[in-house]
Amino acid sequence: MKPTSNFLSHLNPSQRRAVEHFCGPLLVVAGAGSGKTRALTYRIANLILQHKVDPENILAVTFTNKAAREMKERIQKLFAEQMAMQEYGEKYDLLPEFDQGKLRSRVYRTVIKDMWCGTFHSLFSRILRLDIDKYVDENGRKWEKNFSIFDDSDAQSLVKEIVTKQMNLDDKKFDPKSVRYAIGNAKNQGFSPKEFAIEQPNYRGKIIAEVYSAYQDKLAGNNALDFDDLILIPTRLFQQNEKVLDYWHRKFHHILVDEYQDTNRTQYEIIRLLSTNDEGKKSWNWDNRSTFVVGDADQSIYSFRQADFTILLGFQDEFGDGLEDDNTRTMVKLEENYRSCENILEVANQLIENNTQRIDKILKPTRAAGEEICLFKADDEVVEADFVINQIRKLEEENPDLDWGSFSILYRTNAQSRPFEDLLVKYQVPYNVVGGFRFYDRKEIKDILAYLKAIQNPSDAVNIQRIINTPRRGIGKSTIDTLVRASQELGTNLWEILNDETSVNTLAGRAAKSVNNFAGIIKKWQAEIETMPVTELVAGIIEDSGYVQDLHTQGTDEAEDRIQNIQALYNAVSEFQEENQENEESVTLQKFLEKTSLSSDLDKLKEGDAAVSLMTLHASKGLEFPVVFLVGLEQGLFPNYRSMQDPAALEEERRLCYVGITRAQERLFISHARERRLYGSREPAMRSQFLDELPEDLVANHHQTRQGYVKISTGSLPKRSDRNAFTSNTQSDVIQNWQVGDAVIHKTFGEGEITHVFDAGSKTSVAIKFTNLGTKIIDPRVAQLQKIN
DNA sequence: AAAATTGTTGCCAGC
DNA sequence: CAACAATTTT
């Protein structure tokens, strides 16, 4: 199939450069709303159509499952459109539905199915399902292909058990949560337990390293991995086994990574390994290969899980030609914004300029100015919610272009959703809360999944213990203790004991019978796992567990609710089975379990069901809405109090705000409250410092009255210089005199020369042209900047 | 062994 | 205030 001539005509020149780039490394710096998804999908289509790349040689990494699904759908559509013209001589949209369906499913089978497109976690767990048996870690720990994936709460209880029971530490001093966090950080930076131990200078660090090692023992003992292992283990496997690395290196000719600014060291390392086969730069061979990354340092908002945007900033040095912006052939910037009205962009641009650590980049508007941004001051969080919901209802009514799905409410923390939900319910506005509590995290769902996991992977003692007496079947704490102790003493896992009738029969009579019964259930279904359709398997297990029956006898409303949820889980299984069968994919229990472990809540956000979306700013990344409400702009909340002392963390909060603003297409509302409930008591709240960084001439001030709200002013805030005189009395003492032409050295960016000085009252910014990195605008009070000579 | 009560801590973000 | 853990009661 050959592409029709208009294939690339929907692209602007920069997008086109990105799409048509064939071999070698390329960094695409893609500002918000600049059409990077389009660039990615067209690039993949172009690789296949133009360069005859086999889809199975493509690896595309996205940030969420939803993004992966959308990307696949868009590519599918592109292909179907091409084929429609070729085979029917007709536009795809004009074909009868039957032919459309036929085309789509053929494209799926011949193109989409073979492509590896997904999140880091899903892609690399897939590799582990094939190759983990070839891996042995530094302590001889091994895993089998049917490993379980432990979620955060599983992981946390393991750590807690180690800290309190095994090592007898004070869990005040070694709070399991922070220990677990430290272990996660180590994994995300690529450290094994031993390597981590060496790095530790103090007692506390050494203890944490010990916990890390014991934690890995426990995981291996359960034949289980945590989320971070899903990336770290394949990385280590690739490092230790040339053959395995070489196989995957040869398989993936073209590697694409989206949201590259949010990759961490381990993820970077695995991309590096796959791209280069771990060879030195001189022997890299880019023939028929490419590594194509897309990102925007200004939207890096996941440093709390060790994402590091300097990886993106370093791409040019690591992979690229390292030439300056104007001359480089390994970087493309997408700066035209197609999403937002000009006013919104202007606000975003001005805000983000307050950050020092950036690539010089500005979003250029392509759309009309649009309406003013509306800033609303509320008395408290309830008034704030009232304002938002009323605006939504009013706009929806007045504007035929808008439906409920056009609106989103974005907040810093999940806990803020409550008052908005209350009012949406009151006015019967359909809405969707994204994130927070996942369906798969409900107790009854986790219980049923524990059965499934135990059957899939009997070494998984954590999940066995979860369900051995759920529902009650007379296996009490002391019985379980005896069994667990026995397994520890024999150095085997719990299942080996349960599965051995003679061992079990040494227990007191009643308990022995119950345990044998339980073991029988697990064994029975284990035997069916390869052959029985997943839906039947799950239905049978639910039945045999007696779980639903037990809920029935309870008879409470809550129990009825749980039964409903279990029904919904079953529905999810059958949907899963149907979908996969349609696409001629194999359907296994393992795949379903994987999906439940790795799916995020964002996945439920379906297009087409018209409902107001409520979510955190983090969850909003990559999405867009005609109308956006950015709420709770208060000191301590946003920016979050934990970030306020640390300049780097504060800059991340600012990027988060930037992400929020740039979600808006037509209208942007920003609000804050003067008082807010916190831990139950009312606390006064100050307006966020970010509000003072927005251009006042584009922002209209509003305040509530009994009748609703009135517009007070446009641009009536105190003049910027006055405000700064008031607010910035803390660190302005060490003002240096920066002048155009000064040679300076920056801690991370190296040497450069000042090309502009921006003086606004007490705040000074300087633009510096760095030798290797191009021009950046920097706040000399925050950055470590020194004059040289 | 399970249920009821009191106490404690936490709201930062999520694959 | 609410979720969760630890503790006491039946």
Side-chain angles (χ1 to χ4, degrees):
Chain A
M1 183 168 66
K2 265 170 67 182
T4 49
S5 55
N6 67 354
F7 183 68
L8 301 173
S9 66
H10 305 107
L11 304 171
N12 70 32
S14 311
Q15 290 173 331
R16 203 166 166 143
R17 268 185 64 206
V19 168
E20 290 188 317
H21 171 91
F22 180 32
C23 294
L26 188 74
L27 166 66
V28 178
V29 174
S34 62
K36 64 165 184 148
T37 312
R38 166 164 294 202
L40 273 164
T41 48
Y42 275 65
R43 172 178 166 76
I44 292 176
N46 195 54
L47 284 175
I48 300 170
L49 291 170
Q50 192 70 53
H51 299 291
K52 306 294 169 224
V53 172
D54 191 326
E56 69 177 29
N57 298 132
I58 294 175
L59 178 74
V61 188
T62 60
F63 197 69
T64 62
N65 292 300
K66 179 168 175 269
R69 198 176 59 225
E70 278 173 2
M71 188 179 295
K72 283 188 262 190
E73 273 165 17
R74 288 172 75 157
I75 295 169
Q76 190 174 13
K77 181 124 192 279
L78 270 179
F79 272 84
E81 281 165 359
Q82 295 287 317
M83 281 164 98
M85 282 315 280
Q86 227 134 65
E87 296 186 18
Y88 296 82
E90 183 75 271
K91 282 206 164 142
Y92 173 84
D93 289 332
L94 299 177
L95 289 177
E97 214 168 283
F98 175 75
D99 292 316
Q100 288 187 356
K102 241 172 53 181
L103 274 181
R104 270 210 312 275
S105 87
R106 207 169 90 215
V107 172
Y108 192 93
R109 274 180 282 118
T110 55
V111 180
I112 309 295
K113 192 180 161 193
D114 298 325
M115 233 170 60
W116 283 52
C117 176
T119 62
F120 271 105
H121 292 90
S122 68
L123 292 166
F124 289 101
S125 71
R126 190 171 160 192
I127 288 181
L128 288 179
R129 294 284 180 206
L130 297 164
D131 277 348
I132 199 169
D133 54 346
K134 302 182 184 72
Y135 178 71
V136 185
D137 87 352
E138 59 192 13
N139 279 49
R141 303 182 190 100
K142 288 179 194 164
W143 284 264
E144 289 166 50
K145 290 174 179 173
N146 61 338
F147 60 84
S148 296
I149 298 171
F150 279 1
D151 66 21
D152 271 346
S153 66
D154 294 333
Q156 182 125 341
S157 31
L158 278 191
V159 169
K160 188 177 175 186
E161 207 180 304
I162 292 164
V163 169
T164 57
K165 302 240 174 72
Q166 210 167 307
M167 294 175 65
N168 284 316
L169 296 162
D170 178 8
D171 66 350
K172 291 271 183 326
K173 263 177 113 176
F174 291 92
D175 171 34
K177 203 170 169 183
S178 70
V179 174
R180 156 83 183 113
Y181 186 68
I183 293 173
N185 284 349
K187 289 185 176 185
N188 284 325
Q189 292 178 92
F191 294 113
S192 68
K194 279 187 182 167
E195 291 164 353
F196 181 71
I198 295 167
E199 297 277 312
Q200 300 312 312
N202 55 32
Y203 171 74
R204 183 185 162 78
K206 287 188 176 28
I207 294 291
I208 291 175
E210 263 180 67
V211 178
Y212 180 11
S213 184
Y215 172 69
Q216 288 310 104
D217 287 342
K218 274 217 185 288
L219 285 174
N222 284 289
N223 190 25
L225 301 177
D226 67 18
F227 283 130
D228 304 322
D229 285 329
L230 295 178
I231 322 290
L232 180 58
I233 303 273
T235 310
R236 312 292 310 197
L237 171 62
F238 288 169
Q239 285 166 347
Q240 75 174 212
N241 190 325
E242 264 177 44
K243 266 192 186 153
V244 173
L245 173 58
D246 193 59
Y247 173 84
W248 293 106
H249 167 76
R250 283 165 190 275
K251 173 168 171 63
F252 297 127
H253 301 175
H254 295 279
I255 297 171
L256 301 93
V257 187
D258 194 10
E259 308 285 8
Y260 193 65
Q261 77 281 1
D262 280 319
T263 54
N264 60 43
R265 281 286 142 198
T266 308
Q267 291 165 337
Y268 161 76
E269 176 66 4
I270 207 160
I271 292 299
R272 186 188 73 79
L273 288 164
L274 282 174
S275 299
T276 66
N277 208 16
D278 208 15
E279 282 161 32
K281 198 163 183 171
K282 281 176 213 89
S283 39
W284 289 353
N285 179 0
W286 291 105
D287 288 351
N288 293 311
R289 299 190 64 89
S290 68
T291 295
F292 179 94
V293 304
V294 186
D296 176 4
D298 288 336
Q299 296 185 66
S300 166
I301 54 175
Y302 280 94
S303 69
F304 69 91
R305 57 183 205 214
Q306 299 304 112
D308 179 358
F309 67 86
T310 62
I311 292 172
L312 181 139
L313 299 182
F315 184 89
Q316 281 282 73
D317 288 334
E318 287 294 319
F319 289 101
D321 54 23
L323 298 175
E324 284 186 46
D325 289 13
D326 294 337
N327 303 318
T328 182
R329 302 189 51 212
T330 50
M331 175 172 75
V332 174
K333 283 187 190 175
L334 308 182
E335 295 181 296
E336 262 115 314
N337 174 293
Y338 299 99
R339 178 185 294 151
S340 309
C341 289
E342 185 172 357
N343 284 345
I344 295 169
L345 279 192
E346 186 58 31
V347 170
N349 279 331
Q350 290 240 16
L351 176 81
I352 203 64
E353 272 188 26
N354 290 284
N355 273 8
T356 56
Q357 294 235 334
R358 314 184 49 215
I359 288 190
D360 183 27
K361 170 175 65 57
I362 199 152
L363 294 176
K364 295 173 195 146
T366 64
R367 299 190 55 181
E371 311 244 1
E372 282 178 315
I373 280 69
C374 171
L375 178 65
F376 182 74
K377 176 165 75 176
D379 277 346
D380 61 20
E381 79 279 0
V382 179
V383 175
E384 180 183 46
D386 193 63
F387 166 76
V388 169
I389 308 307
N390 281 319
Q391 283 296 313
I392 291 177
R393 293 170 64 215
K394 191 164 136 245
L395 285 168
E396 196 269 348
E397 194 175 73
E398 286 171 0
N399 209 323
D401 297 338
L402 301 175
D403 64 19
W404 299 122
S406 311
F407 300 92
S408 81
I409 304 170
L410 308 180
Y411 35 75
R412 176 70 241 262
T413 70
N414 278 307
Q416 285 166 260
S417 74
R418 191 45 111 36
F420 297 98
E421 288 191 67
D422 289 347
L423 283 168
L424 287 162
V425 169
K426 181 176 162 195
Y427 291 114
Q428 302 188 20
V429 176
Y431 72 95
N432 228 328
V433 184
V434 178
F437 221 73
R438 285 186 341 144
F439 175 72
Y440 296 116
D441 288 336
R442 291 166 191 274
K443 180 185 180 302
E444 62 276 19
I445 302 303
K446 281 198 78 170
D447 286 342
I448 299 295
L449 291 175
Y451 275 92
L452 303 178
K453 286 185 188 176
I455 285 156
Q456 174 67 42
N457 169 27
S459 309
D460 182 345
V462 169
N463 276 311
I464 286 184
Q465 284 181 74
R466 186 184 178 99
I467 47 151
I468 191 167
N469 198 34
T470 314
R472 315 245 135 78
R473 44 171 79 87
I475 305 175
K477 199 172 181 306
S478 56
T479 309
I480 297 172
D481 271 356
T482 314
L483 292 164
V484 170
R485 215 168 312 123
S487 74
Q488 279 165 358
E489 274 161 27
L490 292 172
T492 139
N493 65 53
L494 182 61
W495 173 244
E496 298 290 324
I497 306 285
L498 299 182
N499 194 26
D500 176 17
E501 273 194 46
T502 40
S503 304
V504 172
N505 285 333
T506 61
L507 293 165
R510 266 185 80 116
K513 202 172 163 211
S514 307
V515 172
N516 280 327
N517 268 339
F518 173 76
I521 297 173
I522 302 293
K523 219 183 307 184
K524 170 180 162 198
W525 295 105
Q526 232 184 305
E528 309 280 3
I529 206 163
E530 299 291 333
T531 48
M532 191 179 269
V534 178
T535 45
E536 272 180 61
L537 198 64
V538 172
I541 292 164
I542 292 175
E543 175 66 29
D544 257 14
S545 71
Y547 202 97
V548 174
Q549 256 176 315
D550 182 66
L551 286 172
H552 261 307
T553 49
Q554 289 178 25
T556 61
D557 285 354
E558 199 195 337
E560 285 302 320
D561 240 32
R562 298 202 157 155
I563 294 172
Q564 295 285 307
N565 287 331
I566 292 171
Q567 181 63 45
L569 176 69
Y570 177 77
N571 294 342
V573 177
S574 38
E575 204 176 294
F576 175 77
Q577 178 163 308
E578 272 168 35
E579 261 174 37
N580 281 283
Q581 264 164 5
E582 250 169 55
N583 295 325
E584 298 179 7
E585 304 259 15
S586 64
V587 193
T588 61
L589 179 62
Q590 187 164 84
K591 279 193 187 169
F592 179 72
L593 287 174
E594 191 130 329
K595 177 192 152 99
T596 64
S597 296
L598 300 181
S599 86
S600 73
D601 201 62
L602 212 61
D603 303 348
K604 79 174 178 203
L605 195 75
K606 291 240 166 68
E607 253 171 76
D609 64 33
V612 176
S613 298
L614 280 68
M615 68 187 88
T616 63
L617 287 150
H618 282 90
S620 78
K621 184 162 89 162
L623 306 175
E624 58 185 5
F625 300 91
V627 185
V628 166
F629 293 85
L630 211 55
V631 304
L633 271 279
E634 293 140 41
Q635 287 296 94
L637 185 62
F638 190 24
N640 189 271
Y641 66 99
R642 300 161 100 125
S643 317
M644 290 170 65
Q645 308 307 325
D646 174 0
L650 186 66
E651 294 208 350
E652 177 146 318
E653 294 286 305
R654 192 177 284 112
R655 290 195 293 272
L656 193 54
C657 188
Y658 175 80
V659 166
I661 293 170
T662 53
R663 297 311 94 198
Q665 296 170 313
E666 326 277 340
R667 299 290 310 266
L668 175 65
F669 295 82
I670 303 177
S671 62
H672 65 104
R674 293 200 298 213
E675 196 180 77
R676 187 174 288 274
R677 266 202 126 79
L678 194 72
Y679 296 139
S681 60
R682 309 207 134 271
E683 300 287 343
M686 283 200 303
R687 53 188 260 133
S688 168
Q689 63 191 97
F690 296 151
L691 296 177
D692 299 331
E693 298 172 4
L694 309 178
E696 49 218 60
D697 52 319
L698 297 177
V699 178
N701 244 350
H702 295 73
H703 186 43
Q704 97 285 2
T705 68
R706 275 128 283 142
Q707 288 87 17
Y709 79 99
V710 292
K711 180 166 173 177
I712 296 180
S713 63
T714 298
S716 74
L717 294 169
K719 284 276 167 282
R720 203 176 298 214
S721 48
D722 300 345
R723 253 197 347 268
N724 280 321
F726 173 66
T727 52
S728 68
N729 52 5
T730 41
Q731 47 170 285
S732 53
D733 319 316
V734 266
I735 291 177
Q736 285 205 44
N737 245 342
W738 304 102
Q739 288 190 337
V740 173
D742 283 352
V744 292
I745 184 155
H746 183 276
K747 196 170 165 245
T748 43
F749 299 141
E751 289 184 21
E753 182 187 316
I754 296 185
T755 56
H756 301 276
V757 177
F758 306 95
D759 229 323
S762 64
K763 180 179 159 52
T764 304
S765 308
V766 294
I768 301 170
K769 188 168 168 57
F770 288 102
T771 326
N772 294 323
L773 295 150
T775 305
K776 290 172 204 304
I777 295 173
I778 277 174
D779 182 342
R781 287 176 312 174
V782 183
Q784 280 98 339
L785 205 58
Q786 278 195 314
K787 267 193 224 186
I788 43 183
N789 47 324

